[in-house]
Amino acid sequence: MVRLTMIYLLVIFLGISCNQNHSIINEKSSSDSSFVNDTSARMPILPELKSEEVHLTEKAFGSTIDLTGTPLNFKEIIKPSQLLVKNKYLVTKNARKDSLFMIFELPDLKCVSAFGVMGRGPDEFVYPPELVETEEDSILFYIYEINTEKIYKVNLKSLKPEYYLTLPKHNKGFDIKQIFFTNNKNAIYVSNTSKSKMIYTFNKDSLQQGKELLDLAIPGIKGSWTTYIGDFGVNMYYGRIAYAYKYFKRIRILDINSMTERHIVFDAEELTEGQNDIATLEPTNITHFWGMSPKKEAFWMLYSGRTPIDVQSANRNNNKYIFVEKYDWNGNPLKRYRLDDWGYFCIDNQNRTIYLASTASINSMLKYDIPEI
């Protein structure tokens, strides 16, 4: 139990990632095509995903664009570790004992709802819950309670949580699921296995609610679930899943219909093989991707490329920075920005804004205008 607690604390500290084409044999059933949304929204045409491994450098982004943040003023005390913008609302998940979730109306930042208490009483959270995104129009977001596997939904009318369902538990060990709800019955999520991480599909009405979709182990690299920690996003219009690894600058794209995979591998230092869980989570290891903000036309990644120790040293010397990278849903690099602070982020597409919850300065949150270049 002590070991699991140590691993949990280390995960929170760290931000809870052959030069030839390869063919992929599709052994999965095409029945999962029901997950793809039949929306008629006008979107950029995305070419068919090719089964290949592509090796790139940071030159693929072109010139990095420097952005300067504008501090935001909140009446409330917020300590965000997760952010979400949907419709006219900014949602924060806060590192505090009460008001774990706050909902602010944009652009005035008026708090219209606050809820969630840490504790062991009824409707309280033993461990910090996770904010879960969805494409559903009527739902603002879901909440995942780690200790019980319970899911709560927050609809746009009440802006309050209500119990929805309980997810299946796949193992008896430590697990933090990453979840995306595609509609009110179906979800796609990432969960730990004994030697890796796995993407599952979930159907509320199915007897076998969690079905394996894709093993996220990197071929040729031995490890455990800590080796393959990362961030994932889902786009139902294009039928894509993107997974970005924390300890490798690698992105994996999956076409949900055809089960075609594309691997994007950047020239960057990677995790040493054969380490145990504690050694993998040490702050002396270089970390790459620190968060994803999936949007309809592209997905955005928060990128470090340094060790947490180096980051802390630079922050103390007022040399704060982190990168935001933009990719299309085939994993092609589009833009790269350098922000003048460090923290957690999300993208507001409608207002062309990056929100950053700072963990390194006196400003609780900053916003960055995305230039039209």
Side-chain angles (χ1 to χ4, degrees):
M1 184 65 185
V2 172
R3 179 181 177 84
L4 293 179
T5 302
M6 289 176 63
I7 293 174
Y8 177 79
L9 293 174
L10 282 167
V11 170
I12 296 300
F13 173 76
L14 286 174
I16 54 158
S17 254
C18 107
N19 296 328
Q20 62 182 16
N21 293 353
H22 61 278
S23 61
I24 298 174
I25 301 174
N26 182 7
E27 298 178 349
K28 303 269 184 191
S29 168
S30 62
S31 62
D32 287 317
S33 63
S34 62
F35 277 89
V36 179
N37 190 1
D38 185 22
T39 178
S40 59
R42 293 185 178 182
M43 297 280 284
I45 296 174
L46 194 67
E48 180 181 349
L49 191 70
K50 294 182 179 180
S51 176
E52 59 183 354
E53 181 171 289
V54 180
H55 289 253
L56 301 174
T57 67
E58 292 177 356
K59 293 181 179 179
F61 291 100
S63 300
T64 298
I65 302 168
D66 292 325
L67 299 181
T68 302
T70 301
L72 298 178
N73 296 316
F74 292 84
K75 293 180 180 179
E76 296 75 17
I77 298 175
I78 61 170
K79 297 179 180 179
S81 58
Q82 273 187 288
L83 301 174
L84 168 68
V85 171
K86 185 171 182 179
N87 293 2
K88 62 179 181 178
Y89 298 113
L90 168 66
V91 182
T92 65
K93 188 197 87 172
N94 304 299
R96 39 184 291 168
K97 293 183 178 180
D98 60 359
S99 297
L100 293 172
F101 295 94
M102 292 184 182
I103 303 173
F104 299 90
E105 199 168 41
L106 295 171
D108 298 331
L109 298 177
K110 177 184 177 182
C111 185
V112 293
S113 185
F115 50 82
V117 176
M118 294 291 293
R120 295 185 177 274
D123 299 322
E124 294 180 341
F125 299 105
V126 177
Y127 291 106
E130 296 292 302
L131 188 160
V132 177
E133 296 191 39
T134 180
E135 291 184 346
E136 297 170 77
D137 292 334
S138 62
I139 304 298
L140 182 56
F141 64 98
Y142 287 89
I143 297 169
Y144 166 49
E145 209 288 301
I146 298 168
N147 189 52
T148 63
E149 300 289 341
K150 289 181 179 179
I151 299 290
Y152 301 82
K153 61 181 178 180
V154 180
N155 66 58
L156 281 165
K157 289 185 178 180
S158 69
L159 299 181
K160 293 292 184 182
E162 58 182 279
Y163 171 76
Y164 184 51
L165 56 83
T166 300
L167 289 173
K169 191 170 181 63
H170 294 285
N171 57 61
K172 296 181 180 179
F174 182 80
D175 192 14
I176 298 180
K177 291 183 175 67
Q178 297 164 285
I179 310 163
F180 184 92
F181 274 87
T182 59
N183 55 47
N184 64 350
K185 291 187 178 182
N186 293 299
I188 299 174
Y189 64 88
V190 176
S191 184
N192 297 344
T193 66
S194 60
K195 296 182 179 180
S196 179
K197 279 183 171 284
M198 180 77 69
I199 298 178
Y200 295 85
T201 60
F202 171 86
N203 182 277
K204 183 182 178 184
D205 298 332
S206 174
L207 292 177
Q208 184 184 352
Q209 291 184 329
K211 296 181 181 179
E212 294 183 0
L213 183 66
L214 181 69
D215 189 336
L216 291 169
I218 299 173
I221 297 178
K222 295 182 179 180
S224 71
W225 67 269
T226 57
T227 309
Y228 304 113
I229 288 173
D231 300 286
F232 99 118
V234 179
N235 184 301
M236 300 315 295
Y237 177 80
Y238 290 126
R240 297 287 192 269
I241 296 175
Y243 192 84
Y245 296 87
K246 182 176 286 292
Y247 295 109
F248 308 85
K249 193 166 188 186
R250 293 172 177 241
I251 295 175
R252 198 163 176 174
I253 306 294
L254 175 70
D255 184 315
I256 305 173
N257 282 328
S258 67
M259 293 302 295
T260 300
E261 291 183 61
R262 186 170 189 244
H263 298 250
I264 297 88
V265 182
F266 284 84
D267 182 14
E269 186 174 336
E270 298 187 338
L271 184 71
T272 302
E273 284 192 56
Q275 297 185 150
N276 61 32
D277 291 336
I278 299 298
T280 295
L281 295 170
E282 287 288 344
T284 52
N285 291 316
I286 289 179
T287 58
H288 294 282
F289 296 110
W290 272 74
M292 181 186 294
S293 186
K295 298 299 175 182
K296 286 187 176 180
E297 88 294 347
F299 64 93
W300 302 68
M301 299 301 312
L302 200 62
Y303 182 74
S304 171
R306 297 176 286 164
T307 71
I309 287 179
D310 289 339
V311 169
Q312 288 183 359
S313 176
N315 290 348
R316 284 194 298 266
N317 290 301
N318 203 30
N319 184 27
K320 302 184 291 289
Y321 68 91
I322 196 166
F323 297 97
V324 171
E325 299 176 346
K326 182 181 181 182
Y327 298 83
D328 72 16
W329 281 98
N330 277 348
N332 297 308
L334 300 176
K335 295 288 183 182
R336 193 171 197 248
Y337 304 91
R338 175 174 163 144
L339 312 186
D340 63 346
D341 213 311
W342 175 276
Y344 305 98
F345 91 127
C346 74
I347 301 296
D348 179 358
N349 258 3
Q350 182 175 347
N351 297 301
R352 298 188 59 84
T353 301
I354 300 171
Y355 288 96
L356 186 78
S358 176
T359 60
S361 68
I362 60 173
N363 303 306
S364 58
M365 195 178 302
L366 303 96
K367 73 171 185 177
Y368 297 81
D369 295 326
I370 302 172
E372 296 187 23
I373 298 177

